[in-house]
């Protein structure tokens, strides 16, 4: 059980999680309401916000972050500008990568986000490289790589884990297991139908890597764990492995994400029974934002009025960010080869 964080930090954490949720809802609006605006596939981070918000909020600007196809909200949590993230997702000139990266590779090296990649497992060796550099330079930078349970089926995961342990790299492997059923977020974890290991966390332990489990829907539990691991990484310790358990958001089952219960209604924090049936059980047991808001309301660290106001200002921010992105021009075709090298 995590120690409650001071009220002001708790509100900042909740606000960050809400910003992540509302950003991703704008992405789904783009996809749903403007045909062809997002070219190709898109994934969202809805349902995993506690992990990303708490995990990134303990990082400094110079610390390194690597992530996957569910990258948008991680980039926001590490300090990325919402308008420029959305502009990147739709390939516009004002995007963080000048429209060259699109949804799958949104990154911002100035914020320590050197690369993000939709190649499952693709960021792991790059993260190990960054951690190796930090070790050689004695820079005290922490490196965190977020990745999904699916990456543990990839050969590159094993090579990276092995090298990281052999070379004692100051790196955190943060594995987001989003295949967990509601109520199964503690204990040893259930076997994955896609993997021959009995529990995924047996694997890093077999390599001798210090391994922890955390309820990925519990923002304060993630915060407490990551504060410790990041501090140790800065002292040059590592590697560390975290299995963070969440239950898949119902809108993430189809081939494209869909707001199956509509946009998140903040009243579900105190009245989950009013949520549409398709998301009701998930809102009751598994939505990290609702769980945290409910906890803060129960603790007296938050009032309903304050929560509604907070959400209103976040929605306004993301509405402006979406407008900024939509008003940004496409990159100039004549510059298509800029920033490319061979
Ligand atoms: C190397 C590689 N193989 C296959 C894919 C296709 N693919 C995209 S997402 C995905 C599932 C990844 O599962 P997980 O890592 O658990 O992430 P989740 O989508 O559950 O967040 C797959 C197989 C890919 N992008 N890269
Ligand atoms: Mg997964």
């Amino acid at each position: 059980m995590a120690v409650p964080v001071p009220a002001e930090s708790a509100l900042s954490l909740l606000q960050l999680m809400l910003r992540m949720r509302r950003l991703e809802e704008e992405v789904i609006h783009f996809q749903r309401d403007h045909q062809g605006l997002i070219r190709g596939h898109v994934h969202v981070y809805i349902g995993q916000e506690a992990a990303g918000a708490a995990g990134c909020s303990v990082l400094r600007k110079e610390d390194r972050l690597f992530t996957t196809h569910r990258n948008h909200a991680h980039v926001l949590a590490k300090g990325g500008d919402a308008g420029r993230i959305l502009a990147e997702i739709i390939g516009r000139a004002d995007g963080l990568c000048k429209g060259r990266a699109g949804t799958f590779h949104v990154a911002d090296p100035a914020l320590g986000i050197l690369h993000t990649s939709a190649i499952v497992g693709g960021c792991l060796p790059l993260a190990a490289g960054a951690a190796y550099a930090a070790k050689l330079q004695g820079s005290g930078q922490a490196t965190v790589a977020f990745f999904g349970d699916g990456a543990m089926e990839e050969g590159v995961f094993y090579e990276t884990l092995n090298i990281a342990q052999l070379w004692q790299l100051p790196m955190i492997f943060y594995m987001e297991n989003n295949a967990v059923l509601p109520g199964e977020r503690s204990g040893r974890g259930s076997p994955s139908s896609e993997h021959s290991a009995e529990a995924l966390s047996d694997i890093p332990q077999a390599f001798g890597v210090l391994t922890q489990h955390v309820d990925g829907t519990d923002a304060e539990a993630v915060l407490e764990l990551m504060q410790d691991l990041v501090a140790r990484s800065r002292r040059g310790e590592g590697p560390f492995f975290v299995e963070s358990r969440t239950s898949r958001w119902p809108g993430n089952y189809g081939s494209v994400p869909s707001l199956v219960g509509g946009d998140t209604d903040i009243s579900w924090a105190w009245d989950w029974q009013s949520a549409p049936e398709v998301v009701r059980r998930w809102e009751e047991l598994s939505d990290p934002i609702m769980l945290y808001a409910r906890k803060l309301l129960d603790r007296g660290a938050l009032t309903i009025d304050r929560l509604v106001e907070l959400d209103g200002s976040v929605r306004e921010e993301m509405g402006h960010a979406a407008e900024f992105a939509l008003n940004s021009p496409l990159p100039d075709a004549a510059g298509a080869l800029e920033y490319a090298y061979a």
Side-chain angles (χ1 to χ4, degrees):
M1 194 62 181
V3 181
V5 305
E8 206 173 305
S9 314
L11 284 191
S12 307
L13 192 54
L14 181 67
Q15 183 183 34
L16 178 55
M17 290 163 72
L18 272 169
R19 293 176 68 231
M20 296 161 89
R21 173 70 52 91
R22 297 301 184 194
L23 177 94
E24 293 290 39
E25 289 181 347
E26 292 296 349
V27 173
I28 302 178
H29 298 163
F30 279 176
Q31 216 258 348
R32 185 192 63 190
D33 303 338
H34 306 258
Q35 215 198 345
L37 185 63
I38 298 181
R39 274 148 287 180
H41 209 61
V42 68
H43 296 273
V44 296
Y45 193 62
I46 294 182
Q48 297 171 216
E49 292 93 345
C56 292
S57 65
V58 298
L59 297 178
R60 297 180 188 143
K61 193 171 171 188
E62 64 271 22
D63 291 328
R64 266 51 193 277
L65 171 75
F66 292 84
T67 175
T68 66
H69 54 291
R70 299 197 194 276
N71 53 8
H72 315 149
H74 285 141
V75 176
L76 185 77
K78 184 96 174 34
D81 177 81
R84 297 195 62 202
I85 293 170
L86 290 173
E88 188 56 50
I89 291 166
I90 59 174
R92 299 300 171 91
D94 295 305
L96 277 179
C97 308
K98 301 182 164 55
R100 265 78 172 168
T103 161
F104 282 151
H105 302 284
V106 185
D108 190 350
L111 292 174
I113 310 161
L114 303 190
H115 186 54
T116 71
S117 175
I119 305 296
V120 172
C123 266
L124 291 169
L126 305 180
Y132 184 51
K135 186 179 171 101
L136 287 183
Q137 292 165 349
S139 66
Q141 286 161 299
T143 299
V144 180
F146 287 96
F147 58 101
D149 46 290
M152 293 184 68
E153 295 156 31
E154 301 290 337
V156 71
F157 166 77
Y158 295 87
E159 293 183 42
T160 308
L161 190 69
N162 185 47
I163 284 288
Q165 175 66 3
L166 277 176
W167 294 356
Q168 294 284 284
L169 299 182
M171 156 176 186
I172 299 168
F173 290 81
Y174 195 103
M175 190 271 280
E176 300 203 53
N177 187 351
N178 56 2
V180 179
L181 296 174
E184 275 187 12
R185 287 191 294 273
S186 59
R188 200 158 164 273
S190 43
S192 158
S193 59
E194 307 285 330
H195 210 291
S196 62
E198 258 191 49
L200 291 176
S201 56
D202 286 349
I203 295 164
Q205 292 187 74
F207 283 70
V209 173
L210 194 121
T211 302
Q212 314 253 17
H213 300 137
V214 70
D215 177 349
T217 67
D218 183 340
E220 293 188 358
V222 175
L223 190 71
E224 188 176 82
L225 174 63
M226 289 299 279
Q227 267 164 345
D228 177 50
L229 298 184
V230 167
R232 291 171 69 178
S233 299
R234 289 208 182 98
R235 293 197 296 268
E237 292 178 41
F240 302 104
F241 184 98
V242 176
E243 179 181 355
S244 173
R245 295 180 185 150
T246 53
S247 308
R248 194 169 275 263
W249 171 55
N252 261 344
Y253 281 106
S255 58
V256 288
S258 163
L259 290 163
V260 289
D263 286 7
T264 302
D265 187 327
I266 202 66
S267 72
W268 301 339
W270 62 92
D271 181 22
W272 57 263
Q273 290 93 336
S274 68
E277 194 177 346
V278 62
V279 291
R280 195 176 301 144
R281 192 170 151 73
W282 189 81
E283 293 302 336
E284 178 195 359
L285 297 173
S286 303
D287 183 339
I289 299 182
M290 296 305 149
L291 293 174
Y292 197 39
R294 221 167 278 152
K295 186 184 274 187
L296 296 181
L297 288 168
D298 288 348
R299 202 186 275 166
L302 182 64
T303 61
I304 288 180
D305 284 351
R306 180 78 186 94
L307 177 58
V308 170
E309 188 192 334
L310 191 70
D311 183 49
S313 65
V314 168
R315 295 185 84 151
E316 201 180 315
E317 178 201 349
M318 293 307 158
H320 289 315
E323 228 175 271
F324 170 84
L326 288 169
N327 287 330
S328 173
L330 286 165
D332 183 1
L337 293 181
E338 282 169 18
Y339 317 110
Y341 63 92

